[in-house]
Amino acid sequence: MPDYFAGYEMFLDEPNRVEDLQDDIVRAVLRRDQRIGMFSNQLKTDRPRYAKNISYTLMSRETIAAHNEWLARRAGRLVPFWFPSWQMDIALARDIEPGQSSMRIEHMGYTQNYLPSRGRRRIILFLRGGGYLTEYIMTATDNGDGTESLYFSSPFGERIAMDDVIMTSFVYLVRLDTDQIARRWETQSIMTVSFPVVEVVGEAEEIE
């Protein structure tokens, strides 16, 4: 069975939300303009890219050192990483029972809008107590009753109650969108950092 999250690190430090949360959806567009008043745009890919500015506070010298090591592994914009949206993208509609290889969610148009384009197949379930589960969506169906079913490649090993799931988020393959990270020392042991990330379109599909 393939590991759909292999090859890249998962970013699991939840960003602080001091400022308003904002996600950007961008497209790679080739503009043809002869400067005579008329122009045309050609999409370089049929999928838009997810972009976001991350900011959070490092509260100790140890976390600052770990952050610097993580940045070194990124090699600027070179090395991608898995990044949860840190938002409630999917809402469970039923508890998940042991041996079940699917989960029922509140209708969000996944079957109609995401499934045909093979977009947003990776998700992460953040659980109470600090645990999490990562899953890859193989297919989905619209149940016609205000819910949809998402199907995975392997069954769940234990029961997961709806109340035990804090948040279910999409996971993106992203890279840093800058080689210079903004860092500000608040005290001798507290640092605020911020950096933009942009989705790597295409590479996530190639490793499948």
Side-chain angles (χ1 to χ4, degrees), residues 101-117:
S101 59
S102 65
M103 70 181 190
R104 185 165 292 205
I105 64 171
E106 295 181 7
H107 190 275
M108 55 166 290
Y110 186 93
T111 307
Q112 178 181 355
N113 300 316
Y114 291 94
L115 190 63
S117 65

Side-chain angles (χ1 to χ4, degrees), residues 3 46 51 69 89 155 157:
D3 183 352
D46 60 352
E69 293 174 0
D89 295 315

Side-chain angles (χ1 to χ4, degrees), residues 53-181:
N53 192 68
I54 305 171
S55 64
Y56 60 102
T57 302
L58 306 170
M59 300 299 293
S60 69
R61 288 279 187 175
E62 290 75 17
T63 55
I64 293 171
H67 169 74
N68 289 337
E69 293 174 0
W70 180 82
L71 282 179
R73 293 195 298 272
R74 302 283 69 75
R77 308 182 193 200
L78 181 63
V79 181
F81 56 98
W82 296 116
F83 179 73
S85 72
W86 297 105
Q87 299 177 90
M88 180 65 83
D89 295 315
I90 295 174
L92 281 176
R94 302 280 193 280
D95 295 341
I96 301 173
E97 302 298 334
Q100 190 174 312
S101 59
S102 65
M103 70 181 190
R104 185 165 292 205
I105 64 171
E106 295 181 7
H107 190 275
M108 55 166 290
Y110 186 93
T111 307
Q112 178 181 355
N113 300 316
Y114 291 94
L115 190 63
S117 65
R118 296 184 57 81
R120 305 297 171 250
R121 293 298 187 98
R122 294 169 178 81
I123 62 173
I124 183 169
L125 289 76
F126 292 101
L127 308 176
R128 297 194 187 280
Y132 68 90
L133 295 171
T134 56
E135 297 290 346
Y136 181 85
I137 302 170
M138 303 298 292
T139 188
T141 58
D142 188 333
N143 299 313
D145 59 357
T147 69
E148 296 177 84
S149 291
L150 306 181
Y151 298 90
F152 309 110
S153 58
S154 59
F156 290 89
E158 58 185 31
R159 186 175 188 272
I160 302 174
M162 291 175 56
D163 291 342
D164 290 337
V165 180
I166 299 173
M167 179 170 59
T168 301
S169 304
F170 289 127
V171 178
Y172 304 86
L173 184 64
V174 304
R175 60 168 173 76
L176 298 181
D177 201 24
T178 181
D179 291 323
Q180 296 184 351
I181 307 303

